[in-house]
């Protein structure tokens, strides 16, 4: 086949058909089915991978169960920790190759893939490695009014859940693997992970690294496949104790329905439509740059992107002019070209979705202060877009577009903006730009969002809980809060 990359590892990897990673073995789907994954910059096929079906899910869940009941549970926390740390080291050793694969499969600029996606993936494994040895319970003194005179020794333990199913999207493929897998394994669970059909490659490359790191067979299994034929059977599987899901709110609700059979635990990190609020007393040049980054980073395919921009009257024209100028100057192109700042959208479907939203908004009376159309040619490119003259009831204002499209509006005072900002089914994140520290904290308290950024945006950290209010999700990623999602508490009481 034609050489796609100057990196031999990338070419070798793409030349082989991607198999399912079950019990640390590479297997074809039992049905023999495969599918192809295209390069979104060209639309041409990059690689062929196995298309897992329900029977493959059964095999992966069985392997994960055997590992859970066998070797994995017999390791000490310190041994688990060392394996996770080695995974982080290997991700860093292979950063260049992983970044190139991610850029090819997802479209994002390669430097971003390397210095954000790959770097964060390694960091999350390392952070979670630290928790393996720190999962603790409490000792308690009981009062038991109905047992006068009796004394008890009571304590709690945090125990793993068992086999967890992890279903992830295409916007940060490798990073999402790490977000889900690292805490799941740190807490002593075993896992079956299904990457998005659009971006299966970095998860398969990661599987090779898991094996090299010495992860015992069956602890982490990776199934490439489609939502309906691999994701749905995993979500409904009686042998799965929990589903950790990131993706659309619509599919999040399907996961909840699927979980009812065995009442498995569910955590959900779903959509967003974040308000980004610029007050007139802000450092305006910094706010303009921050507002542009908040929406255009990763082609706007970010659940916490600042997609609703609200600007106080006095500086409205200046901010819209500034953000539109930045949008117009962004170099859009193949993610591997050194001058590229924004790559293509992930797929033809996503391009159609974003184009449809913007066309609908323009038909409803919005004005494109920048962009407003696809770029044409091969690949799935869309212009960075700023829509003004929007009204709160428009679909472009209410719904998650998941592309490089920001809708802008003006506001008068603080009371108005809090109500408008909170007028959404979503509540994942929000931004505030002001030099008045009291106002910043007052507004942060009033906003219904799981994360509020003040004079910055899209700042995430492995130690900082991340998750949604309202229909943006259940539970939190990161920090010590994520440990609640992947463990359960046992209370033990002894009469002494
Ligand atoms: P989905 O929610 O459909 O996909 C997320 C994951 O769920 C993928 O692995 C997908 O599989 C899987 N999946 C799909 N259907 C099912 C099902 N019935 N049971 C179990 N798993 C399933 O997102 P899309 O890729 O379709 O994107 C659509 C929109 O969702 C975007 O435009 C955006 O608005 C939003 N989105 C939000 C994300 C976020 O982080 N909040 C991330 C991605 C999308 P597969 O892709 O293989 O079919």
């Amino acid at each position: 086949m034609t050489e796609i990359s100057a990196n031999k590892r990338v070419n070798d990897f793409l030349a082989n058909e991607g198999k399912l990673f079950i019990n640390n073995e590479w297997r074809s789907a039992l049905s023999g089915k495969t599918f192809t994954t295209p390069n979104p910059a060209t639309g041409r096929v990059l690689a062929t991978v196995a298309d897992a079906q329900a029977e493959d899910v059964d095999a992966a869940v069985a392997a994960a169960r055997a590992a859970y009941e066998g070797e994995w549970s017999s390791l000490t926390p310190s041994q688990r920790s060392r394996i996770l740390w080695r995974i982080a080291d290997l991700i860093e050793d292979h950063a260049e190759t992983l970044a190139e694969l991610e850029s090819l499969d997802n479209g994002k600029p390669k430097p971003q893939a390397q210095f954000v996606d790959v770097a964060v993936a390694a960091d999350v494994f390392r952070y979670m490695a630290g928790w393996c040895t720190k999962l603790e319970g409490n000792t308690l003194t009981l009062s038991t009014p109905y047992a006068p005179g009796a004394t008890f020794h009571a304590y709690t333990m945090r125990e793993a859940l068992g086999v967890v199913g992890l279903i992830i999207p295409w916007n940060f493929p490798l990073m999402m693997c790490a977000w889900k897998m690292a805490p799941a394994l740190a807490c002593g669970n075993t896992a079956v992970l299904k990457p998005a059909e659009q971006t299966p490659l970095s998860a398969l490359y990661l599987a090779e690294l898991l094996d090299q790191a010495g992860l015992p067979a069956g602890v982490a299994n990776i199934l490439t496949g489609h939502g309906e034929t691999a994701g749905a059977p995993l979500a409904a599987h009686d042998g799965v104790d929990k589903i950790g899901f990131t993706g659309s709110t619509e599919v999040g609700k399907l996961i909840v329905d699927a979980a009812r059979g065995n009442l498995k635990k569910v955590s959900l990190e779903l959509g967003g439509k974040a308000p980004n609020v610029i007050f007139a007393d802000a450092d305006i040049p910094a706010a303009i740059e921050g507002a542009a980054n908040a929406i255009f980073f990763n082609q706007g395919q970010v659940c916490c992107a600042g997609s609703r921009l609200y600007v106080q009257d006095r500086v409205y024209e200046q901010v819209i002019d500034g953000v539109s100028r930045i949008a117009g100057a962004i170099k859009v192109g193949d993610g591997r070209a050194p001058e590229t700042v924004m790559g293509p959208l992930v797929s033809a479907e996503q391009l159609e979705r974003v184009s449809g939203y913007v066309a609908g908004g323009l038909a409803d009376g919005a004005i494109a202060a920048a962009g407003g159309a696809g770029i044409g040619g091969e690949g799935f490119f869309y212009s960075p877009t700023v829509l003004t003259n929007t009204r709160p009831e428009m679909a472009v204002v209410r719904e998650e577009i998941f592309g490089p499209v920001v809708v802008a509006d003006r506001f008068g005072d603080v009371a108005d903006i809090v109500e408008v900002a909170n007028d959404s089914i979503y509540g994942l994140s929000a931004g505030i730009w002001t030099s008045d520290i009291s106002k910043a904290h007052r507004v942060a308290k009033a906003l219904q969002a799981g994360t509020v950024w003040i004079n910055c945006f899209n700042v995430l950290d492995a130690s900082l809980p991340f998750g949604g209010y309202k229909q943006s999700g259940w539970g939190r990623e990161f920090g010590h809060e994520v440990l609640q999602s992947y463990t359960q508490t046992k209370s033990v009481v002894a009469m002494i």
Side-chain angles (χ1 to χ4, degrees), residues 1-12:
M1 78 180 265
T2 341
E3 301 268 298
I4 289 178
S5 164
N7 180 328
K8 184 172 178 317
R9 275 194 191 144
V10 169
N11 282 325
D12 291 349

Side-chain angles (χ1 to χ4, degrees), residues 149-491:
T151 52
F152 299 96
H153 175 54
Y155 59 93
T156 62
M157 303 162 71
R158 293 215 70 83
E159 295 188 331
L161 296 169
V163 175
V164 301
L166 307 172
I167 301 177
I168 58 170
W170 41 257
N171 52 345
F172 294 94
L174 177 72
M175 219 168 90
M176 290 292 149
C177 287
W179 280 34
K180 298 281 186 246
M181 196 179 281
L185 302 189
C187 291
N189 303 283
T190 57
V192 178
L193 179 139
K194 193 204 85 64
E197 72 195 52
Q198 297 86 346
T199 53
L201 299 181
S202 54
L204 293 180
Y205 197 89
L206 176 67
E208 291 185 358
L209 304 184
L210 300 177
D211 198 18
Q212 280 179 39
L215 197 68
V219 173
N221 306 274
I222 294 181
L223 301 179
T224 49
H226 294 78
E228 299 73 23
T229 44
L234 182 61
H237 206 289
D238 278 348
V240 171
D241 300 297
K242 181 227 160 84
I243 293 287
F245 173 80
T246 295
S248 62
T249 293
E250 190 188 344
V251 174
K253 291 177 183 177
L254 296 178
I255 300 286
V256 171
D257 292 343
R260 60 174 286 134
N262 69 342
L263 285 180
K264 58 176 66 67
K265 316 284 186 267
V266 174
S267 57
L268 304 169
E269 201 264 280
L270 306 175
K273 190 76 184 177
N276 195 12
V277 180
I278 300 181
F279 289 96
D281 60 12
D283 173 343
I284 296 300
I288 288 172
E289 206 181 319
N293 285 335
I295 184 63
F296 299 132
F297 171 66
N298 207 47
Q299 297 69 245
Q301 300 168 145
V302 180
C303 49
C304 52
S307 50
R308 288 186 291 147
L309 178 61
Y310 296 110
V311 188
Q312 201 158 18
D313 277 330
R314 193 152 54 79
V315 292
Y316 178 80
E317 305 296 343
Q318 185 189 355
V319 170
I320 298 308
D321 187 50
V323 175
S324 302
R325 263 176 223 250
I326 293 176
I330 288 175
K331 178 81 188 125
V332 181
D334 188 314
R336 290 184 308 152
E339 66 279 10
T340 293
V341 174
M342 184 184 288
L345 302 184
V346 75
S347 63
E349 294 73 34
Q350 198 60 16
L351 177 59
E352 199 181 310
R353 178 186 163 100
V354 172
S355 306
Y357 267 115
V358 174
L362 295 174
D364 286 346
I367 294 168
I375 290 179
E378 60 173 15
F380 315 131
F381 296 97
Y382 199 85
S383 321
T385 294
V386 179
L387 294 182
T388 60
N389 206 36
T390 56
R391 296 183 308 281
E393 68 279 9
M394 286 180 176
V396 283
V397 176
R398 306 207 72 75
E399 296 173 23
E400 185 178 46
I401 299 175
F402 224 63
V405 180
V406 65
V407 293
D409 204 351
R410 58 174 80 227
F411 69 92
D413 64 32
V414 174
D416 298 339
I417 192 52
V418 167
E419 197 180 322
V420 171
N422 285 339
D423 180 21
S424 171
I425 62 163
Y426 298 112
L428 190 57
S429 62
I432 301 167
W433 299 82
T434 176
S435 54
D436 177 341
I437 192 153
S438 304
K439 182 164 63 187
H441 291 294
R442 236 180 15 253
V443 176
K445 185 165 167 27
L447 290 176
Q448 296 161 350
T451 298
V452 179
W453 289 294
I454 299 171
N455 295 329
C456 59
F457 211 95
N458 279 341
V459 179
L460 304 180
D461 190 87
S463 65
L464 190 68
F466 178 74
Y469 280 30
K470 301 191 273 187
Q471 293 191 36
S472 288
W474 289 352
R476 292 291 176 272
E477 314 274 358
F478 294 156
H480 56 82
E481 286 205 31
V482 75
L483 308 174
Q484 314 295 326
S485 277
Y486 289 96
T487 55
Q488 51 199 339
T489 303
K490 179 179 281 173
S491 295

